[in-house]
Amino acid sequence: MCGIVGYTGAREANPILIDGLKKLEYRGYDSAGVALHRDGCLVINKAAGSVADLEKKLGDQFNKVTVGIGHTRWATHGRPTDINAHPHCSCDNKIAVVHNGIIENHQSLRQWLADEAGHSFRSETDTEVMAHLIEEYYEDDLLEAVRKAVKRVEGSYAMVVIAAGEPDHLVCVRQDSPLIIGLGEGENFVASDIPALLAHTRRTKILEDGEFASITADRVEISDRDGKVVEREILEITWDLEAAEKGGYEHFMLKEIMEQPVAVKETMRQRIDPSTGQVDLSELGFTEAELSSLEKIFIVACGTAYHAGLLGKAIIEKVAGVEVEVDVASEFRYREPIFEKNQLAIVISQSGETADTLAALRLARRNGLKVLAITNVVGSSVSREADRVFYTWAGPEIAVASTKAYLTQLVALYLLTIYIGKARRSIDPELAGELVKNLMDLPGNLKKILSEESLSRLSSYCNHLSQWESAFFVGRNLDYPVAMEGALKLKEISYIHAEAYAAGELKHGPLALIVEGIPVIALVTQKAVSEKILGNIQEVKARGGAVFAITQEGFDDVSRQVDSVFYLPAVNDILAPVLSAVPTQLIAYYAAVARGSSVDKPRNLAKSVTVE
Ligand code: F6R
């Protein structure tokens, strides 16, 4: 995710900015840059590549400079190139901006600025419009210009701006993206994340949504949208650097699980119109005729992304009425699938670099299919080679075990299903409306599942689970892929051998392994088969299995028939898998913690599998 650092004071700014950017490297980035005040001008240095490369490039040519801003960019709008790196400048190079977040209406603003106000743009980024917009309003008062510019902006932003005419002044604004002011003696700092500040100060003020900050070496003033000054308490940071990188959580995996409400919200942003409830994926460039004539979709992926694909198949067939085949990429590339016209391939890959998935993409394209990639990384190999790309905006995932990327892949597949269903007129409009409503409620419902109380319940359940060397996950219908993903996650980080079964299969073999007390996690969210799975649960209970059920509020029979139960907020059954995945992630997490495993870097595994 992008990182911001700013400094104003009496010390050399350059090493402070570079050091701060290095402290934010763990968040992932693809380019870096700084803007420094020198002799009444702004000097910009930026490039694709590492902060170390930028540091070398800067050398000691800016020794006397004491004010500047820096940024690490993780590409969203526009590829990771030198020109797209931040800071971005106004036409006259007198305003420089660093920005985290997304300017949603950047296209219309860009058009207005270019056509009506004569601005010329250098980059493909959404951020650059801010530099020009601020230039448009600048009349020797940077704070006022930023205030006016922001009024025209929709989206999320943490922004720091400097102007050539205001030598020691940093202006900041935030909406839905963090920004923290660090207080020093005769110097002040700003950063998007605490690790960048810790070497210099532990005294901070946190900017809230809709607030601006005017920062000089001696003064910090926070104000609201109307310019009213806001008093903010000083927050003393007690975390060490490692804890700060993990946002105070013990592991990146838990941090990323907790980020899921935001990750799904970002993925839906601009793709659902809240006022009409319409899903708009015109960004993908499909025509209605193309979607209507689809006869088959191949979904190809590996590991967790493959499990997302299995759920994709279930919902696309059920809701949009198109036949779907799902393959593990390493099998697809060697199994000689039958390619015909009117077929589409969808590849799913968080990293966009998985070798087998890339090979599957190439195979499908060689055989004349259009390929849609669902990926989290702009500029990745998969995104460059696919015909169309659906970006999940989960932000970089650092823990090896995928959590927030998986959940956003599911959201992408639900949006796609509704969109295809609408184009083909195969989706029941009432169902479409209900699913969209459930999707919009998702961030709130995820927050409920991630409450302190749920975390402590799941953690205490895992004290029992972690004593065992094997466990089962069972589910039917849409719950089955969730069971598969739950088992993978548990194996991967706790090293407990976990198997997932379609619950109806138990009596065809695995029931032989059910012994007194063995943990069985049952997903029970599908009304159409709830009687059936409750029957399967009885088969397990009769042999001594200890059943932990994950179900929806309103499934009242479940609690009487199992040892313990975890309730999810009630939603349409079709959308329940997006919620039920979360307790399974937490079960894996707490079981791994209880067993003292290396949660974020499990043995023998890598985050990105770029070899066959
Ligand atoms: C498991 C996990 C892996 C990945 C798989 C594919 O938690 O993360 O199973 O899902 O290696 O990776 P991507 O999505 O990067 O292609």
Side-chain angles (χ1 to χ4, degrees):
M1 199 87 82
C2 304
I4 288 178
V5 189
Y7 176 76
T8 173
R11 287 194 282 159
E12 275 178 39
N14 192 20
I16 292 172
L17 298 177
I18 292 292
D19 180 61
L21 293 179
K22 283 185 178 169
K23 294 288 184 329
L24 300 181
E25 283 186 309
Y26 74 95
R27 294 159 60 92
Y29 69 104
D30 45 53
S31 54
V34 294
L36 297 159
H37 251 293
R38 188 171 62 181
D39 306 328
C41 297
L42 300 182
V43 189
I44 313 286
N45 275 281
K46 57 182 190 169
S50 70
V51 176
D53 291 341
L54 177 71
E55 184 179 19
K56 259 191 236 137
K57 193 172 156 191
L58 291 166
D60 54 12
Q61 51 180 319
F62 297 105
N63 282 354
K64 298 216 169 68
V65 173
T66 60
V67 179
I69 53 178
H71 192 263
T72 46
R73 172 174 189 253
W74 193 70
T76 56
H77 291 71
R79 290 153 301 138
T81 59
D82 293 359
I83 289 181
N84 286 339
H86 296 212
H88 287 285
C89 273
S90 53
C91 294
D92 61 6
N93 288 330
K94 290 195 169 156
I95 307 250
V97 177
V98 289
H99 162 228
N100 292 354
I102 296 174
I103 306 298
E104 289 177 4
N105 56 339
H106 69 103
Q107 263 156 345
S108 55
L109 287 173
R110 181 182 273 252
Q111 201 167 353
W112 178 80
L113 284 160
D115 298 350
E116 311 280 320
H119 290 254
S120 45
F121 285 80
R122 303 168 178 120
S123 77
E124 303 162 310
T125 64
D126 54 333
T127 301
E128 195 185 341
V129 299
M130 289 313 304
H132 295 279
L133 203 55
I134 295 165
E135 177 181 32
E136 197 54 35
Y137 290 116
Y138 187 63
E139 286 173 12
D140 297 328
D141 185 342
L142 185 58
L143 177 60
E144 201 44 39
V146 173
R147 216 187 281 289
K148 284 184 180 153
V150 158
K151 279 201 180 120
R152 296 196 55 184
V153 164
E154 288 157 28
S156 61
Y157 42 85
M159 231 180 291
V160 186
V161 190
I162 54 176
E166 300 183 25
D168 73 336
H169 195 194
L170 309 178
V171 171
C172 315
V173 58
R174 107 156 234 182
Q175 181 66 44
D176 289 339
S177 189
L179 214 44
I180 300 133
I181 300 161
L183 307 172
E185 296 295 331
E187 59 182 1
N188 287 305
F189 309 80
V190 62
S192 54
D193 212 356
I194 288 168
L197 301 174
L198 286 184
H200 308 289
T201 181
R202 289 180 171 274
R203 294 168 64 240
T204 66
K205 289 191 176 187
I206 313 279
L207 216 57
E208 301 285 353
D209 280 348
E211 287 181 349
F212 296 76
S214 165
I215 306 177
T216 60
D218 305 313
R219 199 180 65 108
V220 169
E221 186 175 271
I222 300 178
S223 53
D224 66 13
R225 281 192 183 88
D226 306 320
K228 205 168 130 240
V229 172
V230 175
E231 292 305 327
R232 178 68 25 83
E233 301 249 306
I234 295 176
L235 179 74
E236 197 79 35
I237 304 292
T238 52
W239 298 338
D240 61 18
L241 183 62
E242 205 190 322
E245 285 184 349
K246 293 174 186 149
Y249 294 105
E250 207 181 327
H251 299 99
F252 281 113
M253 183 178 173
L254 184 57
K255 174 173 181 269
E256 286 161 8
I257 290 173
M258 301 302 282
E259 282 169 354
Q260 291 182 119
V262 175
V264 302
K265 192 170 166 199
E266 287 301 318
T267 302
M268 292 188 290
R269 195 188 278 281
Q270 285 189 295
R271 290 168 172 155
I272 296 182
D273 179 340
S275 59
T276 61
Q278 294 302 315
V279 172
D280 179 4
L281 299 183
S282 50
E283 61 182 292
L284 302 180
F286 287 114
T287 63
E288 222 174 88
E290 202 177 347
L291 295 176
S292 302
S293 60
L294 270 183
E295 281 166 27
K296 186 187 273 186
I297 298 175
F298 290 97
I299 301 185
V300 193
C302 299
T304 289
Y306 166 70
H307 295 148
L310 288 175
L311 194 67
K313 170 186 165 70
I315 58 170
I316 292 172
E317 290 186 342
K318 201 180 184 91
V319 176
V322 189
E323 187 189 340
V324 182
E325 276 186 36
V326 192
D327 276 89
V328 166
S330 55
E331 291 297 314
F332 182 79
R333 59 188 292 194
Y334 295 115
R335 84 162 165 91
E336 298 181 18
I338 299 169
F339 295 114
E340 286 170 356
K341 61 180 176 43
N342 296 333
Q343 294 179 337
L344 169 74
I346 301 179
V347 297
I348 310 175
S349 174
Q350 184 283 129
S351 62
E353 299 297 345
T354 302
D356 284 318
T357 308
L358 199 53
L361 177 158
R362 289 175 182 156
L363 176 71
R365 293 199 78 220
R366 264 201 314 280
N367 284 277
L369 267 64
K370 286 262 181 285
V371 176
L372 166 68
I374 298 179
T375 185
N376 198 35
V377 182
V378 176
S380 58
S381 304
V382 157
S383 75
R384 281 185 277 113
E385 294 194 28
D387 299 281
R388 284 143 189 175
V389 187
F390 188 129
Y391 287 110
T392 52
W393 301 123
E397 205 175 47
I398 292 167
V400 165
S402 182
T403 53
K404 62 176 181 171
Y406 168 69
L407 223 65
T408 57
Q409 287 163 359
L410 296 188
V411 167
L413 288 162
Y414 280 88
L415 292 173
L416 205 56
T417 301
I418 298 168
Y419 192 68
I420 297 175
K422 279 253 170 92
R424 297 168 69 87
R425 296 180 177 70
S426 51
I427 188 169
D428 168 21
E430 205 175 310
L431 175 63
E434 196 178 339
L435 291 179
V436 168
K437 183 178 177 309
N438 283 178
L439 281 167
M440 292 196 300
D441 291 343
L442 206 52
N445 279 335
L446 289 170
K447 278 189 198 149
K448 283 187 201 157
I449 298 173
L450 293 168
S451 70
E452 283 293 330
E453 192 199 336
S454 307
L455 300 192
S456 91
R457 276 209 54 213
L458 292 166
S459 149
S460 56
Y461 167 65
C462 289
N463 292 335
H464 159 74
L465 174 66
S466 61
Q467 318 280 315
W468 285 80
E469 287 310 319
S470 62
F472 289 91
F473 284 77
V474 295
R476 297 181 80 126
N477 207 323
L478 298 191
D479 286 333
Y480 179 38
V482 183
M484 293 170 84
E485 173 56 11
L488 175 68
K489 212 97 296 175
L490 186 64
K491 282 192 265 241
E492 188 182 3
I493 58 166
S494 74
Y495 315 143
I496 296 172
H497 181 220
E499 289 292 340
Y501 278 97
E505 274 292 288
L506 286 173
K507 56 172 117 19
H508 299 288
L511 217 45
L513 291 172
I514 300 296
V515 292
E516 195 61 37
I518 194 164
V520 177
I521 292 141
L523 282 302
V524 191
T525 72
Q526 304 295 304
K527 274 179 216 81
V529 288
S530 65
E531 287 302 320
K532 301 283 174 208
I533 190 163
L534 288 173
N536 303 135
I537 287 172
Q538 289 318 308
E539 294 159 9
V540 169
K541 296 262 338 134
R543 286 151 186 93
V547 179
F548 181 93
I550 298 170
T551 189
Q552 297 197 55
E553 274 162 14
F555 281 48
D556 297 331
D557 284 352
V558 178
S559 63
R560 285 192 289 278
Q561 306 201 37
V562 299
D563 298 274
S564 30
V565 63
F566 183 91
Y567 282 106
L568 307 165
V571 289
N572 185 302
D573 295 2
I574 294 173
L575 208 95
V578 192
L579 297 179
S580 59
V582 178
T584 69
Q585 296 167 343
L586 287 163
I587 286 171
Y589 173 74
Y590 285 119
V593 170
R595 287 164 73 97
S597 312
S598 162
V599 172
D600 287 333
K601 291 197 176 125
R603 69 186 176 211
N604 308 338
L605 298 177
K607 184 68 186 160
S608 179
V609 185
T610 52
V611 290
E612 184 174 354

